[in-house]
Each structure stands twice: as structure tokens, then as C-alpha cells.
């Protein structure tokens, strides 16, 4: 079994920046994270969970939701089994619980993920 744990969530002012991390642990030998697609999802208060961004196993393909394109950057470090999300120019609409997920193929669906984290809270307010 593989466990994902997010960190880095915080309260930040509009226009500010924030960096999230998600580290994989557990049976990463039998379930090599380096072969999986990683993704970030978020769930704003009172709304459905939504896709934010995805990155291919070697980091050569990245996909972003229109709402974060140009402001958020996803990266991964396979040696450290860690996924990152660099958030810049954050806005109140970015307030949400942020989750990382991993799966064997690219998907914008949370339920397609094989492994899912518990989330880290990001709050954007002045």
C-alpha cells in the first residue's frame, strides 16, 4: 500500500504565494511512484472536488485547469517520491482543501486515482 501526505497549506493574502508538497511512503518499491501520474485536486468549501493539475511520470507532460493556468506550477521529484505545487498570485477563489493523488494513467477524475491523500487546507483572504 502507498500512502500520500500533503503539507504546506496555510492562510495567505490575495496575490501571495504558497508551495504545497505531497510525499509518498509505504510500499513504493512494489508500487513505484515514478511510474504513476500524479495530480492535485481541490475542494472549495461547499463545492465539489475539482481537478487542478496533473503531471506525467517523467514530468514531460503537464495539464492545468483553466482557473490556475499561468499561476500554478506542478513538479515532481521521483527520487524523493514527492509532488509539488507552486502557487502564485493566489486569489480567494483558490481557497480549498488541496489533495494529491496518483494513478496509472492521466485522468481529471478523482475516482480514477489509485492513491489519494488526506488534504491540506489553503485559505486566501485579506
Amino acid at each position: 500500500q502507498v500512502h500520500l501526505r500533503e503539507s504546506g497549506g496555510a492562510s495567505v493574502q490575495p496575490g501571495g504565494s504558497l508551495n504545497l508538497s505531497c510525499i509518498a511512503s509505504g510500499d513504493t518499491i512494489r508500487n513505484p511512484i515514478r511510474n504513476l501520474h500524479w495530480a492535485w485536486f481541490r475542494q472549495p468549501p461547499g463545492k465539489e472536488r475539482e481537478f487542478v493539475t496533473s503531471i506525467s511520470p517523467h514530468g514531460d507532460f503537464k495539464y492545468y485547469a483553466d482557473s490556475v493556468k499561468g499561476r500554478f506550477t506542478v513538479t515532481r521529484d521521483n527520487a524523493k517520491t514527492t509532488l509539488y505545487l507552486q502557487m502564485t498570485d493566489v486569489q480567494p477563489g483558490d481557497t480549498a482543501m488541496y489533495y494529491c493523488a496518483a494513478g496509472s494513467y492521466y485522468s481529471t477524475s478523482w475516482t480514477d486515482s489509485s492513491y489519494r491523500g488526506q488534504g491540506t487546507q489553503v485559505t486566501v483572504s485579506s
Side-chain angles (χ1 to χ4, degrees), residues 5 9-10 41 45 50 55 74 80 92 94 103 111-112 114 116 120:
R5 187 179 78 252
F41 294 82
E50 62 187 26
I55 184 169
V74 61
K80 296 181 179 179
D94 295 320
T111 56
D112 285 342
S114 300
R116 310 182 189 105
T120 186

Side-chain angles (χ1 to χ4, degrees), residues 25-103:
S25 61
D27 195 2
T28 55
I29 299 299
R30 195 152 41 178
N31 301 282
I33 287 294
R34 65 180 180 274
N35 294 338
L36 301 179
H37 294 255
W38 284 60
W40 286 99
F41 294 82
R42 68 185 183 185
Q43 186 167 16
K47 297 184 179 180
E48 297 291 318
R49 187 179 283 115
E50 62 187 26
F51 170 80
V52 176
T53 180
S54 177
I55 184 169
S56 59
H58 298 292
D60 45 356
F61 293 100
K62 302 178 182 181
Y63 305 92
Y64 295 93
D66 288 342
S67 58
V68 306
K69 203 171 294 183
R71 300 187 300 119
F72 291 9
T73 302
V74 61
T75 57
R76 62 189 291 166
D77 186 333
N78 286 338
K80 296 181 179 179
T81 64
T82 302
L83 176 73
Y84 303 97
L85 182 66
Q86 181 181 12
M87 307 167 63
T88 63
D89 189 26
V90 295
Q91 300 300 317
D94 295 320
T95 294
M97 183 71 78
Y98 283 73
Y99 302 87
C100 67

